[in-house]
Amino acid sequence: MKKVEIHPDAVERVKKFSINDSKLGFGKYVAPIMIQATYDNGEWQKFDLVPYGPLLLDPCSKVLHYGQEIFEGMKVFRQPDDSIKMFRPELNARRFNQSAKRMAMPEIPEDQFIHACEVICAYSKHLVPSRLGESLYLRPFMIATEVGMGIKPSKQFMFVIVASPSGSYFSGDAVKVYIERDDIRCAPGGIGFAKTGGNYAASLNSYDKTIKLGCDQTMWLDAIEHKYIEEMSGMNFLCVIDGTLQTPTITDTILDGVTRKSILDIARAENIEVVQKRLSINEVLEAIRAGRCTEAFVCGTAAVIAPISSFLDKDGTVTRFKEIPGKLGMQLREKLIAIQNGRAPAPEGWLYPVKDLSF
Ligand SMILES: Cc1ncc(COP(=O)(O)O)c(C=O)c1O
């Protein structure tokens, strides 16, 4: 593993940096340092901690034309003893490499990925907020930097991690979901399971439609039958039907969310029955009307869990829940936040302690 080289100007910058704002928001602030590494000649070169700043890119870099890029999103939490811990970083490291493989990009050994994350966290320790639900959000990403117009995989790449002290992505309000019956985002055999920009770019047209219609989130259905629930543009979907916690089975068109996985683990540990299956949107709507589906929620690293208040269909039909927010979703949200912030015992291996560096 290559040790990250620490640049003294980065340390000077971050030492002097502070944020005085009780409303951190999501992605509003970034730490004034970043990790940067390059891949060339078939291997990762140096990893550096440098001052945050613009990236120098040739206009013919492949990422700008063919979208060869991947990213991750993960969080670091302050603990009651003032230490800081990353939440399940090995899952992000693994997913990053799955995305890399699909996008013909080089993998980064898991220990190298986690070490780089740990270094930026350690030097940003004073920027990790301490209120419940707040965190330092890490955004590792990799882009294709080889210069040339040919449509072929790049041989050169840049890996970067930036860090953002963040509050909660959502204000806590319930979300209104627009059911996207026309556009599709990810087809089987495509790139849905990879965290790559193309999936998000494909969702933006529908985002505009969703907002214009007074909703907050787009729900994507399967590409073949336009019937089965997949996920939101940046979150997974769960609902409670007949007292069981149900969620679409992960396939190659759905991102395997760390939050979803953690919620299912917590639910199972509390003897809540978990059902993973193909969930038809019409069946869910019917179950809401029949009073069998009592709540639904979305989940992801940024938002943790946000309850769904209603679904808007293409023909204008609105299906609402009677009770918002639902009980189970809020219980799971509180439990997960308590685990992340060290207020409840964490299952083995969920919290990765960041080494304390005095500088
Ligand atoms: C498309 C998509 N689905 C689901 C998720 C939730 O994944 P996670 O819980 O790992 O953040 C995300 C967020 O990263 C996402 O972008």
Side-chain angles (χ1 to χ4, degrees):
M1 187 183 64
K2 295 191 157 82
K3 281 213 140 215
V4 174
E5 190 177 309
I6 312 297
H7 291 232
D9 45 347
V11 179
E12 280 316 302
R13 281 268 295 274
V14 74
K15 250 192 203 170
K16 289 189 206 130
F17 187 83
S18 64
I19 299 166
N20 285 318
D21 187 347
S22 58
K23 289 204 179 95
L24 287 172
F26 179 75
K28 186 157 107 185
Y29 296 100
V30 281
I33 51 175
M34 62 186 187
I35 298 283
Q36 198 169 2
T38 50
Y39 182 92
D40 202 4
N41 296 319
E43 62 177 336
W44 285 103
Q45 308 291 319
K46 282 166 43 256
F47 284 72
D48 295 289
L49 182 79
V50 293
Y52 181 96
L55 304 174
L56 193 62
L57 277 185
D58 187 289
C60 288
S61 299
K62 288 194 190 292
V63 63
L64 300 176
H65 305 268
Y66 308 124
Q68 199 183 10
E69 77 92 43
I70 57 171
F71 66 100
E72 266 306 321
M74 49 205 283
K75 279 178 170 176
V76 187
F77 296 89
R78 191 171 291 285
Q79 305 296 301
D81 67 359
D82 218 31
S83 66
I84 56 169
K85 291 185 176 165
M86 293 194 271
F87 186 68
R88 309 189 82 175
E90 76 290 352
L91 297 183
N92 297 93
R94 206 170 302 155
R95 191 169 68 187
F96 191 75
N97 285 336
Q98 282 160 359
S99 302
K101 250 192 243 160
R102 180 63 182 83
M103 299 303 290
M105 299 171 89
E107 294 181 37
I108 298 185
E110 280 180 30
D111 59 348
Q112 180 75 68
F113 180 95
I114 293 173
H115 169 62
C117 290
E118 190 176 3
V119 168
I120 191 165
C121 290
Y123 282 90
S124 309
K125 183 177 174 183
H126 59 296
L127 302 178
V128 181
S130 57
R131 284 179 304 188
L132 213 57
E134 293 181 332
S135 61
L136 183 71
Y137 179 83
L138 299 186
R139 172 55 63 89
F141 62 95
M142 192 202 308
I143 57 174
T145 50
E146 189 183 329
V147 175
M149 296 287 194
I151 306 178
K152 52 186 176 189
S154 176
K155 290 197 179 68
Q156 287 152 353
F157 297 89
M158 187 191 291
F159 173 67
V160 178
I161 309 177
V162 296
S164 168
S166 294
S168 179
Y169 186 54
F170 276 115
S171 52
D173 294 343
V175 300
K176 294 186 196 125
V177 168
Y178 175 66
I179 304 166
E180 178 53 82
R181 299 260 185 191
D182 298 318
D183 285 5
I184 58 124
R185 199 197 43 151
C186 301
I191 54 174
F193 70 93
K195 212 162 161 55
T196 182
N199 290 324
Y200 301 85
S203 76
L204 298 177
N205 186 40
S206 196
Y207 174 86
D208 278 345
K209 190 166 32 168
T210 296
I211 299 300
K212 273 196 200 112
L213 289 167
C215 292
D216 310 293
Q217 287 288 321
T218 310
M219 170 180 273
W220 295 98
L221 304 179
D222 76 282
I224 308 292
E225 296 178 71
H226 293 220
K227 233 163 105 174
Y228 296 100
I229 299 173
E230 300 228 300
E231 59 182 335
M232 308 295 136
S233 301
M235 283 179 284
N236 293 114
F237 174 84
L238 295 100
C239 62
V240 178
I241 302 182
D242 297 330
T244 63
L245 182 60
Q246 305 204 357
T247 181
T249 310
I250 296 295
T251 64
D252 66 353
T253 57
I254 301 176
L255 193 82
D256 190 1
V258 174
T259 318
R260 173 188 176 280
K261 196 191 288 288
S262 306
I263 288 168
L264 298 187
D265 288 345
I266 294 171
R268 284 191 201 98
E270 303 201 345
N271 293 319
I272 294 158
E273 192 185 335
V274 169
V275 178
Q276 300 186 66
K277 60 184 249 198
R278 290 191 94 188
L279 260 179
S280 134
I281 180 62
N282 289 350
E283 278 171 33
V284 170
L285 296 176
E286 185 46 44
I288 297 171
R289 287 192 284 268
R292 291 175 42 232
C293 177
T294 45
E295 61 181 286
F297 51 89
V298 290
C299 72
T301 296
V304 191
I305 286 178
I308 293 174
S309 57
S310 60
F311 294 90
L312 171 64
D313 219 327
K314 188 184 170 182
D315 63 5
T317 312
V318 177
T319 307
R320 281 195 185 81
F321 284 103
K322 287 201 184 79
E323 201 184 309
I324 310 155
K327 241 201 257 144
L328 183 60
M330 287 302 99
Q331 245 169 286
L332 291 166
R333 180 186 159 90
E334 261 174 46
K335 186 72 197 265
L336 180 55
I337 291 178
I339 289 172
Q340 290 174 327
N341 289 273
R343 265 73 161 183
E348 172 104 28
W350 278 24
L351 292 177
Y352 184 102
V354 172
K355 275 186 224 79
D356 206 3
L357 293 174
S358 33
F359 62 91

